[in-house]
């Protein structure tokens, strides 16, 4: 659909998706299917019906809603422009997230150009799984990449996300080689990403890219998405993921800091 993109949410006043106060635009459609995904409504690249059960006075009302809406660049920019004063005051801007924004490259590029024309800071929150030529087309329009690194072992990556990590690691190398502003993001998922071997491999990656890349954010797992899976009639695979240990994450933060990286818990 020319000049339209599929968006499942636009959140104003976000503070964890880049610097300052931001508007985060969530693209619908993702090439991965991570076991721990807390945005299951983001995965399918077309609008999806879901049902909400509203209990009231012993009765149940079923509300049909749709996740995903086709929007023009102008419509998205109208939302973004509403909070310009807050971006200016806080050195904030706009974050494109998902899902995976790079799955809609033409629309994303149009939005990035529109933001640059309006002198707005741009952040791209990406899983990194995209053809290099797409990254190359975007990269000069993006001020900051929030780049997910999940599992360094390729077989494990394939098992838990549905895709190989090869292209992701190549894209990270490409961005680092071009001196782009990148913050790494590591989801701390008990029994999946928090194995000793994976954490050691992340540490080695941090050593490799520091000081060109200066920051890693550790994102603790939460299981708040259960209701979403039910509403979308999707299989929830969260039940066998244990609760997160903040003490373990704090210990890992200290380990990673030895590489010279700035390490934050949360975004
Ligand atoms: S990359 Fe993100 S949005 Fe896509 S499936 Fe994984 S956790 Fe969900």
């Amino acid at each position: 659909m020319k000049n339209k993109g599929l968006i499942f949410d636009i959140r104003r006043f976000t503070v964890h998706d880049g610097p300052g106060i931001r508007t985060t635009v969530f693209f619908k459609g993702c090439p991965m299917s991570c076991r721990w995904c807390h945005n299951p409504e983001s995965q399918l690249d077309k609008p999806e019906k879901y049902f909400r059960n509203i209990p009231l006075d012993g009765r149940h009302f079923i509300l049909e809603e749709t996740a995903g809406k086709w929007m023009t660049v102008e419509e998205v920019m109208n939302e973004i422009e509403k909070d310009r004063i807050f971006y200016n005051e806080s050195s904030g801007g706009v974050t494109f997230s998902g899902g995976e924004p790079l799955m809609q490259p033409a629309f994303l590029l149009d939005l990035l150009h529109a933001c640059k024309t309006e002198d707005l800071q741009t952040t791209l929150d990406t899983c990194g799984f995209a053809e290099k030529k797409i990254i190359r087309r975007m990269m000069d329009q993006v001020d900051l990449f929030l780049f997910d690194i999940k599992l360094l072992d390729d077989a494990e990556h394939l098992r838990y996300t549905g895709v190989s990590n090869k292209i992701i690691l190549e894209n990270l190398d490409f961005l680092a080689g071009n001196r782009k502003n990148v913050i790494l993001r590591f989801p701390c998922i008990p029994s999946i990403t928090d194995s000793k071997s994976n954490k050691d491999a992340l540490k080695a990656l941090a050593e490799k890219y520091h000081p060109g890349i200066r920051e890693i954010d550790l994102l603790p797992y939460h299981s708040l998405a259960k209701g979403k899976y039910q509403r979308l009639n999707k299989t929830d695979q969260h039940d066998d993921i244990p609760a997160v240990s903040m003490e373990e994450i704090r210990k890992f933060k200290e380990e990673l800091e030895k590489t010279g990286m700035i390490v934050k818990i949360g975004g």
Side-chain angles (χ1 to χ4, degrees):
M1 200 173 294
K2 198 165 180 293
N3 201 28
K4 283 197 173 187
L6 187 60
I7 303 298
F8 78 88
D9 200 3
I10 297 180
R11 276 184 220 154
R12 297 165 66 189
F13 292 93
T14 55
V15 292
H16 296 296
D17 302 324
I21 294 172
R22 319 190 62 76
T23 292
T24 301
V25 180
F26 292 88
F27 284 54
K28 189 159 160 52
C30 183
M32 296 197 195
S33 48
C34 305
R35 275 276 283 278
W36 58 86
C37 183
H38 58 267
N39 280 335
E41 74 276 39
S42 73
Q43 292 178 1
L44 194 67
D45 60 354
K46 54 187 179 188
E48 260 173 299
K49 293 246 180 286
Y50 65 94
F51 297 94
R52 267 203 303 142
N53 182 1
I54 318 250
L56 180 71
D57 296 337
R59 296 173 64 195
H60 288 269
F61 295 86
I62 306 295
L63 188 63
E64 185 183 289
E65 295 188 334
T66 303
K69 181 181 171 190
W70 290 103
M71 297 181 77
T72 63
V73 170
E74 292 70 29
E75 285 168 336
V76 176
M77 289 306 292
N78 283 343
E79 288 300 305
I80 288 170
E81 285 288 351
K82 287 178 183 169
D83 295 321
R84 173 181 279 278
I85 187 166
F86 297 104
Y87 315 144
N88 293 345
E89 292 284 323
S90 68
S91 304
V94 184
T95 299
F96 299 108
S97 183
E100 176 49 62
L102 293 171
M103 272 189 77
Q104 301 183 59
F107 186 66
L108 175 61
L109 197 57
D110 285 352
L111 276 175
L112 286 166
H113 279 138
C115 287
K116 286 291 123 201
T117 303
E118 295 299 322
D119 202 20
L120 295 169
Q121 193 273 0
T122 56
T123 292
L124 178 62
D125 180 12
T126 179
C127 70
F129 189 87
E131 287 178 63
K132 193 175 292 157
K133 66 179 182 195
I134 291 177
I135 304 253
R136 192 191 295 274
R137 276 167 63 202
M138 308 288 157
M139 68 182 185
D140 291 335
Q141 309 298 322
V142 176
D143 297 312
L144 170 65
F145 288 85
L146 302 178
F147 197 104
D148 292 357
I149 292 292
K150 298 170 167 67
L151 289 150
L152 279 305
D153 178 84
D154 196 24
E156 290 278 289
H157 200 280
L158 185 61
R159 177 176 173 202
Y160 287 109
T161 72
V163 302
S164 161
N165 66 12
K166 193 166 174 286
I167 193 169
I168 296 168
L169 296 175
E170 285 172 7
N171 283 332
L172 175 62
D173 205 57
F174 179 70
L175 290 174
N178 281 279
R179 299 174 173 276
K180 294 296 162 190
N181 192 13
V182 176
I183 293 177
L184 298 175
R185 294 189 132 191
F186 178 73
C188 301
I189 315 297
S191 78
I192 299 179
T193 66
D194 71 345
S195 67
K196 182 171 181 329
S197 58
N198 196 43
K199 290 199 285 195
D200 285 350
L202 184 70
K203 200 173 159 194
L205 188 98
E207 277 159 357
K208 175 178 173 187
Y209 287 115
H210 185 269
I213 296 176
R214 293 176 49 245
E215 181 176 326
I216 301 184
D217 296 341
L218 304 179
L219 309 178
Y221 167 73
H222 65 76
S223 58
L224 300 177
K226 273 185 176 301
K228 290 188 190 177
Y229 280 86
Q230 279 164 5
R231 287 197 288 277
L232 289 160
N233 208 13
K234 288 189 175 175
T235 309
D236 177 4
Q237 301 182 78
H238 289 219
D239 278 347
D240 52 354
I241 301 178
V244 80
S245 158
M246 290 309 293
E247 196 187 331
E248 283 299 312
I249 293 176
R250 278 191 285 272
K251 271 194 216 157
F252 185 42
K253 174 179 186 290
E254 283 170 22
E255 272 301 300
L256 277 176
E257 281 168 341
K258 290 177 190 164
T259 65
M261 285 267 190
I262 297 164
V263 186
K264 292 183 184 165
I265 297 176

